[in-house]
Amino acid sequence: ELRVNAITLGLELGRLSPQEAIAAYERLAPLAPRNASVPYSLGQVLLQAGRRDEAQTAFVRSLELAPASVPAMTALAVIASQRGDAATSVRLCRQALAINERSTPALQQLGVVLLRTGDIPGAVAALERAVELDPADKENWSRLGVAYARARRIDDARRAFERALAIDPNFAGARQNLERL
């Protein structure tokens, strides 16, 4: 666990490049074959590096080691959504939320994929729950604003975008969406 945390910290502080972090996680994997956080962390870096297929393999391995891993399920839901497989993304998000109903990443992903598939009431409900659990997340407020706009709840959309801008006045996405209203 200490090595996983050290690699993650090195990456976050800019002391390791993504490629160096990937190599470090790959060296660590055989030393900790039953530690689900190693393939999960590797998957995160691979996904950020645009290596989606390898990331998926790493997340699946993490889920094999820890079948109730909400983060691994959510990461696989993101990949499914990126591939255009909304049904799998929704299924994985709901599976993750059945384990932890307070998982804001799973709620965020569920809201995004439901919005893309046209289930506006479902998207609004998921994103409202996400902002309820994490009211300081500007992205959630902006996503909720988009969902409200699609639901033709213009005043609610405006308030959501304004809330996102109150958190980060330089948040261009929220500003652009507010101007579009």
Side-chain angles (χ1 to χ4, degrees):
E1 283 301 313
L2 289 175
R3 288 184 183 177
V4 170
N5 292 337
I7 297 166
T8 302
L9 185 60
L11 185 62
E12 289 174 3
L13 294 175
R15 296 184 188 230
L16 288 177
S17 71
Q19 293 308 321
E20 290 169 324
I22 289 167
Y25 286 129
E26 288 174 339
R27 284 191 304 273
L28 183 56
L31 302 174
R34 299 210 184 284
N35 185 331
S37 65
V38 175
Y40 175 78
S41 298
L42 173 60
Q44 288 289 80
V45 181
L46 287 166
L47 191 57
Q48 292 168 5
R51 294 165 60 180
R52 189 170 49 200
D53 291 340
E54 294 169 88
Q56 181 172 341
T57 300
F59 292 132
V60 166
R61 177 66 182 140
S62 179
L63 204 52
E64 289 169 351
L65 294 169
S69 172
V70 171
M73 285 177 209
T74 304
L76 287 168
V78 168
I79 291 172
S81 180
Q82 290 174 348
R83 291 202 164 136
D85 186 353
T88 298
S89 185
V90 168
R91 179 182 54 77
L92 286 164
C93 288
R94 290 195 171 136
Q95 186 177 347
L97 290 165
I99 295 167
N100 179 3
E101 66 184 21
R102 299 178 61 84
S103 170
T104 55
L107 286 163
Q108 292 166 2
Q109 179 58 30
L110 180 61
V112 167
V113 75
L114 291 176
L115 194 59
R116 284 186 192 144
T117 62
D119 181 353
I120 306 306
V124 167
L127 294 168
E128 283 178 337
R129 180 74 172 133
V131 298
E132 176 186 315
L133 293 170
D134 189 1
D137 187 324
K138 67 183 181 184
E139 296 285 343
N140 282 344
W141 282 106
S142 186
R143 289 181 187 111
L144 180 58
V146 171
Y148 281 150
R150 296 266 312 270
R152 302 193 191 287
R153 294 171 56 181
I154 303 306
D155 289 339
D156 289 332
R158 184 179 328 282
R159 282 190 288 277
F161 293 134
E162 288 171 349
R163 184 73 182 262
L165 288 167
I167 295 166
D168 180 359
N170 297 316
F171 186 16
R175 184 160 313 287
Q176 290 168 352
N177 286 328
L178 185 59
E179 290 170 3
R180 285 186 201 136
L181 282 180

